[in-house]
Amino acid sequence: MDEGNTHKKLGRSSKSKLKNLHKAMSPYASIPILAGIALCGGGIGAVLLDLLEQRREERKRSEQQSRPAETVLIRTLSYVTGDPKSWKAWIFLLGCFLYAVLGGATGYLQSEVLANYNSNEEGSSETKGVLLVVYPIIVGLSGMLLVLGVRLLPYDRYPRAGIATHVIVAGLFQMFAIIYCFSAVQLATVIFGEEAKITTVRRAFAFISVVGLALSFLFGGYVMGKSAQLTQHEEIVSSGSHDTLTPKQIWAIKCWMAGLGGVQMSIGIAVSVVTASGAAEANLFS
């Protein structure tokens, strides 16, 4: 039997499995879903818990000062994980650790399915398969370093080194998340077809992650600078000195931080959804 016939048989075999996806789900299909939940839950959970904590503190201040409570917005994930005293950052670290493990396992399952599907292209399939494993692991490790980096290089002691490390690691997290998204799109195109629903969904979330990265690069530095300015303002006020920022300026900074926070979460949600959709390939693993 020649290679062309072998490839056709493998294609027919995969297609027949696709038709039976709704009949029986493989236990392996839970791995990608758990990976997506871990990363998405860790990021969104940390941000939302920070929001709840802000609201609680604002209510206390408003009661003490006999004034209406001010509106509280979400803050950037960088701000939440960048506080050495923040326990919320460890939630994100745990989510990233689980994602590195489960995401790597997802990539392995996807690589095995790809290898079986393209057995006549061993070199190409093997390289792509290895990368499918490596990308999620780098994303998870980068997320963990966002939390650990600020504890090893605190901003107050090592301002330049700490901020530089944070920017580099955050860039790695975002870039490899996008690379994995597009690799998953290519995989879905090969396995399920160009017009398949899963291919379309992955492509949509891949482009969402690209837009998020572009906005993050465009405005991230500006927002980080304003965040540092707000932090300095809060320290001055807590020490009993006069305000250094007007209420209008403070509100503007908080809006910028909320906007960037939403952008950061959109990237995390995009890669989480794409990873979870790996259940489709995992269901073909045998």
Side-chain angles (χ1 to χ4, degrees):
M1 184 181 295
D2 59 26
E3 290 184 350
N5 290 332
T6 301
H7 183 67
K8 288 179 181 177
K9 279 196 168 185
L10 286 167
R12 285 195 296 269
S13 175
S14 294
K15 288 178 181 178
S16 65
K17 288 183 178 181
L18 290 176
K19 292 179 181 178
N20 295 323
L21 278 175
H22 66 283
K23 294 182 179 179
M25 290 295 288
S26 167
Y28 295 109
S30 63
I31 295 176
I33 295 173
L34 291 174
I37 291 173
L39 183 63
C40 189
I44 294 180
V47 171
L48 292 182
L49 285 173
D50 178 65
L51 179 64
L52 293 175
E53 188 174 278
Q54 286 187 80
R55 287 181 174 176
R56 185 168 57 251
E57 292 174 352
E58 176 57 26
R59 279 198 300 269
K60 289 181 179 178
R61 285 194 296 267
S62 65
E63 291 173 359
Q64 292 172 354
Q65 300 173 12
S66 300
R67 60 169 176 80
E70 297 177 357
T71 302
V72 175
L73 303 176
I74 64 170
R75 297 189 282 200
T76 63
L77 189 59
S78 299
Y79 191 96
V80 175
T81 60
D83 182 1
K85 300 178 181 179
S86 171
W87 60 270
K88 301 177 290 293
W90 296 103
I91 295 176
F92 180 65
L93 185 144
L94 176 61
C96 290
F97 170 75
L98 292 175
Y99 180 78
V101 175
L102 297 172
T106 298
Y108 170 76
L109 295 173
Q110 292 176 320
S111 68
E112 288 296 303
V113 172
L114 178 63
N116 290 332
Y117 195 88
N118 285 338
S119 59
N120 61 325
E121 301 177 8
E122 292 182 1
S124 175
S125 296
E126 184 176 350
T127 301
K128 292 178 181 177
V130 170
L131 293 176
L132 284 169
V133 177
V134 171
Y135 293 151
I137 292 176
I138 294 178
V139 171
L141 292 177
S142 299
M144 293 172 64
L145 288 174
L146 283 173
V147 177
L148 298 176
V150 74
R151 284 151 180 80
L152 297 174
L153 297 170
Y155 297 154
D156 56 348
R157 293 177 58 188
Y158 310 98
R160 293 184 179 179
I163 293 175
T165 300
H166 180 86
V167 170
I168 292 171
V169 173
L172 288 174
F173 179 93
Q174 295 175 341
M175 291 186 67
F176 278 96
I178 292 172
I179 292 172
Y180 174 72
C181 285
F182 279 99
S183 297
V185 172
Q186 294 177 351
L187 177 64
T189 302
V190 171
I191 303 296
F192 304 103
E194 179 73 25
E195 303 300 325
K197 184 177 180 180
I198 189 171
T199 306
T200 303
V201 170
R202 287 183 181 178
R203 186 180 296 112
F205 279 100
F207 282 115
I208 288 174
S209 66
V210 169
V211 173
L213 178 63
L215 292 173
S216 184
F217 275 148
L218 284 173
F219 301 106
Y222 174 79
V223 177
M224 283 188 67
K226 289 297 182 180
S227 300
Q229 188 178 1
L230 180 61
T231 300
Q232 185 180 28
H233 161 81
E234 291 173 345
E235 291 175 352
I236 292 174
V237 172
S238 62
S239 66
S241 301
H242 294 293
D243 291 356
T244 57
L245 295 173
T246 66
K248 186 176 180 180
Q249 289 174 323
I250 294 172
W251 177 249
I253 293 174
K254 289 182 177 180
C255 288
W256 276 107
M257 291 176 68
L260 183 60
V263 168
Q264 292 175 338
M265 286 196 292
S266 72
I267 297 174
I269 292 171
V271 69
S272 297
V273 171
V274 170
T275 304
S277 72
E281 287 94 0
N283 203 52
L284 300 176
F285 180 80
S286 59

